[in-house]
Structure formats: structure tokens, C-alpha cells
Amino acid sequence: MVPEMTACFIFWGETVSKAFLRVSSVDPKFIKRSIRSVSSVSRSNRLWERGIEKLGTNAKRLDHKDWLAPNEVLKIFKSVRDPQMAFDLFQKLVRRKDYKPNEALYTILIEMLASAKKFDAIEELLTRMKMEKCKLSDEFFRHLIKLYANIGKNAVQAVNILYRMPDFHCWPSVRTFNSVLNMLVCAKQYEMVHEVYLSASQLGVAVDTCCFNILIKALCQCGDLDAAFSLLQEAPKQGCRPNATTYATLMHGLCKSGRVSEAFELYERMEREVCYPDTITFNILISGLCKQGSVKQAMDLLHTMKLKGCYPNSGSYQALIYGLLDASDFVEANKLLSLMVSKGIFPSFLSYKMLIDGLCDMDLLRDVDAVLTQMINQGFIPRMGTWMRILESLFRGRTCEDASRPSC
């Protein structure tokens, strides 16, 4: 053997021996973890490849040199179900020089990432959109704000998106602005509501009646009715005329506080200002009357609303039924319930339960049978407590009947 080759083999043997000695000194647990991590990486790669195979030739089109039509790209991404795979495909797509991502593609990606709660990845996409000066619409941002609020449960970030809109050369519409205000009111983030409202002029938003309605709703929920009425006076100064929703919101706040008479004063003012009440307005007043025990007045108001051209709905009748049941007037409640069903309006499960309980207390078993049949026909299944009440009433009636019979 050639001396140089011999020396080479000796050197190689010593190197391998040293390598084995180093490996043998390593903790066996470390080796197992390393093997496991390598296996997991290879497994994930195999899964990614299988995912690409399932997508078929559409996804492989991204590797072709042929020109890609925008609609073809959207079709590829709509067929992807895994958000991470979609994000990886996007990274491959943006390396192409013949395609520039647009709003439609970003919308698909953001919806997928939001459903997987990958909001960090969404932020990466927003940064890219800003750098590329991608043209984005007000509707795009309104949808993004809803994703942050509803799926991400992050009101602060949702508001932040509103503030960042001008950075993308897109100014929010009053509709988007109001949707953020309403989102904050629903989340009871009242301090942020005031902050966002004050930013209207900076964002180039001209507030409208809907905006004032949302603010009044927030103040009513906080119990600050005086401030809510102050806004009612302020609205016309801002060029916003109060509508039926404005008055209905204030009436609801008054009725909730037990100030039903003041709610009716507001109703009269509403008519004087030629703002016609709707069914919701009447339902609020009917419910307010019933809760304070003035069921007869509520029934009269039901007839009045018909004369005003407003037709009662399920909310109108349901409020009256609860009022009659609370007043223990079960016979009238039964008549009203039958009237509802004849009009194709279906009472609630609770209405049936309370009515059956009341009729059982009055030992009106035939009426109980009719109400029970009606209840079952509408798809409601009586619970064990209801059956027990019926049986107790049935046996109580038989016991009284047996006791009244003369002994032989």
C-alpha cells in the first residue's frame, strides 16, 4: 500500500474513533431527544409534502415559470385548509416577480390566520402590505377589526387598527367608525368609547345620528341618564337629527330605572317632533308598564300601536304574557297565548311553563291539557318538574272529589 494512503487511513481511523468516544460520553437521553426532534422535523416535512399533493396540480402551479392570473392564485389559496401551509405558500408566491399580492388574497390569508388565532402572522402581513403600499379598502379594515374583536377578543388591538388606517392611505368611513364604537359598548369598554369618539375629527370622520345613538346607549348602560339626555340636546347642534332608535334607547334606560312615566313624556315629545315610533319603541313601553304592574294600560297600548300603523310582533305579545303571568291572571294569559298561536307567533318555553304552573294552582286541568298539547306541538319538551306539577294537581283534584262523595 502507498505510504500516503496508509497515513490517510490511519488519520481517518483516529478521527472516527475520537468521534465515537465523544458520542459515547454524551447522555443517552440527549441522543434520544435528538433522534426524536429529527424524526419530528422529517415527519412535518412529509406531512407538508402530502398536503401539497392533496392540493393537486393547482398548488404546484406556484413553482411554474408560466404567468399566474390573479383569479388562479385565489383559487389555489381557497383550496388550502391549513393556515400554516397557506402562509408557507404565500412566502413562495411573493418570490415570484410576475405577481403582486392584492386585497383579495390578503383577505383570504387573514381570515385563515385569524381562525387559527395567529395574530402575530397577521401583523407580519400588515407590515408587508404597508411596505408594498397595497391598495386596501375601508371594508377590508372593518372586517379586520371584527376579527380582532370577535376572535382575538382584543378590543385594544381592534381600536389600534382603526387608528393605523391612515398609515395605509385609507381613511375610515363613518360606518367603520361606528362599528368600533358599538364593539366597545358591547364589550363594556366605556372609557375607550369616549377616547375613540374624540378621535373622530383626526380620522376625518363626520359623526352621524347612529354615532350619537351608540354613545347614548353607552351612557344608559352606565346609568348616567342625565348625560344621555345632554347628548340628545347636543345631536341637533352637530347636524344630527334624533330618530326612533335614539328615543327608544332613552326610553329603555328610563323604564329600566323604573321611570316609566318619564318614558311616556319622552314618547309624547317624540311625536311632537314628528318622529314616528316603531314597534321596538312600543315594545319597550309595553314591557315597562307590565313590569310596574300596569298590565291593563299595556293592553290598551297594544291597541294604540295598531292604530299608529305599528303591528305587534312576538316581543309585544311576549311582554304582555309575562305581565299577565306575573299578575297571576292565568285565564287572560291563556287567551293571549292562544291568540299568539293563531297569528303564527310562538310563545317561549318559559311562558308555557309558567302558565301550566298557574293553571295547575287553579285546578284548571282541561286548560292545562290544551296548553300542554299546544306546547308539545310546537316542539317543546316539558321537563320533569312540569309533569310533577300536573300529576300533583290531577291527584289533588281526585282526592277532593273522593272526599266530597257521600259514604255508603
Side-chain angles (χ1 to χ4, degrees):
M1 183 177 290
V2 181
E4 289 80 359
M5 291 183 64
T6 306
C8 182
F9 276 117
I10 292 169
F11 173 76
W12 181 81
E14 288 176 354
T15 305
V16 172
S17 299
K18 288 177 182 178
F20 274 109
L21 285 171
R22 284 199 301 271
V23 171
S24 61
S25 63
V26 176
D27 186 2
K29 292 182 180 178
F30 174 77
I31 297 172
K32 288 181 179 179
R33 284 198 300 271
S34 302
I35 294 170
R36 202 176 297 126
S37 63
V38 171
S39 300
S40 63
V41 170
S42 61
R43 194 182 303 115
S44 63
N45 289 336
R46 287 197 301 273
L47 289 173
W48 196 89
E49 290 171 0
R50 286 176 191 169
I52 293 293
E53 288 176 5
K54 285 181 181 179
L55 292 175
T57 56
N58 285 335
K60 293 177 182 178
R61 284 277 294 143
L62 296 178
D63 295 322
H64 291 183
K65 294 181 179 180
D66 298 339
W67 180 75
L68 278 174
N71 288 339
E72 189 177 2
V73 174
L74 295 180
K75 183 179 178 182
I76 291 169
F77 278 87
K78 284 179 180 178
S79 64
V80 181
R81 293 290 175 265
D82 180 33
Q84 187 58 50
M85 185 179 292
F87 194 72
D88 293 341
L89 285 173
F90 175 76
Q91 298 298 336
K92 179 185 289 189
L93 175 67
V94 294
R95 288 195 290 269
R96 295 180 64 105
K97 295 181 180 180
D98 64 339
Y99 181 82
K100 186 177 179 181
N102 56 18
E103 180 182 319
L105 177 60
Y106 280 122
T107 300
I108 293 170
L109 283 169
I110 283 173
E111 285 178 350
M112 292 180 66
L113 292 170
S115 64
K117 298 187 177 180
K118 294 181 178 291
F119 289 96
D120 290 339
I122 291 176
E123 286 298 322
E124 288 183 34
L125 290 179
L126 286 173
T127 303
R128 185 182 190 90
M129 289 180 229
K130 186 178 177 182
M131 288 176 59
E132 293 178 347
K133 296 182 180 180
C134 180
K135 189 176 180 181
L136 301 170
S137 67
D138 173 73
E139 186 179 354
F140 171 84
F141 283 103
R142 185 165 61 251
H143 184 54
L144 180 59
I145 287 167
K146 287 180 181 178
L147 292 175
Y148 268 101
N150 299 334
I151 299 178
K153 306 295 182 185
N154 193 335
V156 175
Q157 191 61 29
V159 172
N160 188 34
I161 294 293
L162 176 72
Y163 292 155
R164 289 162 59 189
M165 283 179 66
D167 297 339
F168 294 84
H169 306 285
C170 180
W171 294 88
S173 65
V174 68
R175 181 182 174 187
T176 299
F177 185 79
N178 288 341
S179 69
V180 172
L181 284 178
N182 193 55
M183 176 267 295
L184 292 172
V185 172
C186 292
K188 298 184 178 179
Q189 301 283 345
Y190 301 119
E191 291 181 4
M192 292 180 68
V193 171
H194 186 250
E195 178 191 325
V196 171
Y197 170 68
L198 293 177
S199 70
S201 58
Q202 295 176 358
L203 293 170
V205 175
V207 295
D208 60 359
T209 302
C210 180
C211 178
F212 277 100
N213 290 347
I214 295 167
L215 295 174
I216 288 171
K217 178 183 175 182
L219 291 168
C220 288
Q221 287 182 1
C222 292
D224 195 348
L225 290 172
D226 292 336
F229 274 95
S230 297
L231 270 183
L232 180 65
Q233 305 300 330
E234 181 66 24
K237 297 175 185 177
Q238 299 287 337
C240 301
R241 186 187 177 195
N243 56 20
T245 304
T246 315
Y247 288 105
T249 304
L250 285 165
M251 288 177 195
H252 183 264
L254 290 168
C255 290
K256 193 176 178 181
S257 301
R259 297 158 63 177
V260 180
S261 58
E262 291 179 57
F264 271 90
E265 288 175 10
L266 189 61
Y267 164 70
E268 291 170 1
R269 173 183 167 177
M270 180 181 182
E271 290 196 316
R272 284 197 305 271
E273 294 183 2
V274 198
C275 181
Y276 300 106
D278 55 10
T279 302
I280 294 173
T281 307
F282 281 108
N283 287 356
I284 289 167
L285 294 172
I286 289 170
S287 180
L289 288 170
C290 288
K291 285 178 181 177
Q292 73 171 16
S294 304
V295 182
K296 187 179 183 306
Q297 285 179 269
M299 293 288 284
D300 293 338
L301 189 59
L302 184 74
H303 296 299
T304 301
M305 71 182 287
K306 292 177 184 177
L307 297 174
K308 298 281 185 181
C310 293
Y311 293 96
N313 59 13
S314 59
S316 315
Y317 288 107
Q318 197 63 68
L320 279 170
I321 280 189
Y322 284 140
L324 291 167
L325 291 171
D326 289 338
S328 299
D329 194 347
F330 302 112
V331 175
E332 284 299 319
N334 191 16
K335 290 178 182 177
L336 186 60
L337 186 137
S338 299
L339 178 65
M340 283 179 69
V341 174
S342 68
K343 291 180 176 291
I345 301 172
F346 303 113
S348 66
F349 176 86
L350 182 61
S351 301
Y352 280 113
K353 181 183 178 302
M354 290 176 67
L355 181 57
I356 288 173
D357 288 346
L359 293 173
C360 284
D361 289 339
M362 297 176 68
D363 291 328
L364 298 173
L365 296 179
R366 289 189 178 180
D367 290 333
V368 169
D369 181 53
V371 173
L372 184 64
T373 303
Q374 206 172 76
M375 180 182 184
I376 294 170
N377 288 339
Q378 288 185 27
F380 291 121
I381 301 174
R383 295 174 184 169
M384 184 58 67
T386 302
W387 290 113
M388 291 296 292
R389 290 299 302 273
I390 294 171
L391 289 172
E392 285 173 7
S393 179
L394 182 64
F395 285 118
R396 185 172 63 246
R398 288 194 174 183
T399 303
C400 293
E401 186 180 335
D402 291 341
S404 63
R405 287 179 184 174
S407 57
C408 297

